[in-house]
Amino acid sequence: MHGLGELEAAVMDVLWREATPLKVRDVLERLDTGRQLAYTTVMTVLDNLHRKQWVERERHGKAYVYETVMTREEAAARALRDILDTSGDPHGVLMHFVASVSDEETDILRGALRKKRRR
């Protein structure tokens, strides 16, 4: 995900797959990065994600539980918005993107633009 490091993205993936907030230990147990991670590493990553406003946390007893503040789709849209805003040529970026979309994605874009016009 744009704006996140590899481990941050893996932690977000765990949180997006779950329907309920998770403790650090829960996230650690569900992470599959191919390497052994320390509890404190995952705790630091979650703290960083909280500081970056990707997750919110609430104290439950002595521990925090964490949940995402946006869906995976909202995060992807935010990343695209950031790319367009910082590209220097949003028109060019969009034109290159449109040239790469499938027929099905083209239909989705057309439908979304029709809905936007009606609002």
Side-chain angles (χ1 to χ4, degrees):
M1 187 64 56
H2 183 73
L4 296 178
E6 186 178 326
L7 188 51
E8 289 174 327
V11 167
M12 288 299 295
D13 188 53
V14 167
L15 292 170
W16 276 321
R17 286 189 311 231
E18 295 299 321
T20 59
L22 297 175
K23 294 180 182 177
V24 174
R25 175 83 45 213
D26 300 325
V27 174
L28 177 60
E29 290 170 357
R30 288 166 174 80
L31 268 174
D32 184 18
T33 62
R35 59 187 174 158
Q36 188 92 22
L37 294 171
Y39 177 93
T40 54
T41 300
V42 176
M43 184 174 64
T44 299
V45 169
L46 283 162
D47 187 57
N48 290 342
L49 289 168
H50 178 258
R51 190 174 30 78
K52 292 178 177 182
Q53 299 179 344
W54 282 81
V55 300
E56 55 188 21
R57 66 185 179 196
E58 185 176 313
R59 190 173 286 280
H60 280 232
K62 293 182 181 182
Y64 284 112
V65 293
Y66 295 85
E67 65 182 325
T68 63
V69 298
M70 67 190 91
T71 66
R72 185 186 306 266
E73 295 79 12
E74 289 167 329
R78 182 169 119 179
L80 181 55
R81 178 81 263 155
D82 290 346
I83 289 167
L84 290 171
D85 290 345
T86 59
S87 71
D89 184 11
H91 178 267
V93 172
L94 285 171
M95 294 306 292
H96 284 286
F97 175 73
V98 167
S100 74
V101 299
S102 69
D103 290 342
E104 180 182 349
E105 292 164 337
T106 299
D107 291 341
I108 293 167
L109 284 169
R110 282 189 178 121
L113 290 170
R114 277 192 296 275
K115 281 184 184 177
K116 181 174 172 50
R117 256 185 270 150
R118 281 182 252 164
R119 286 193 287 159

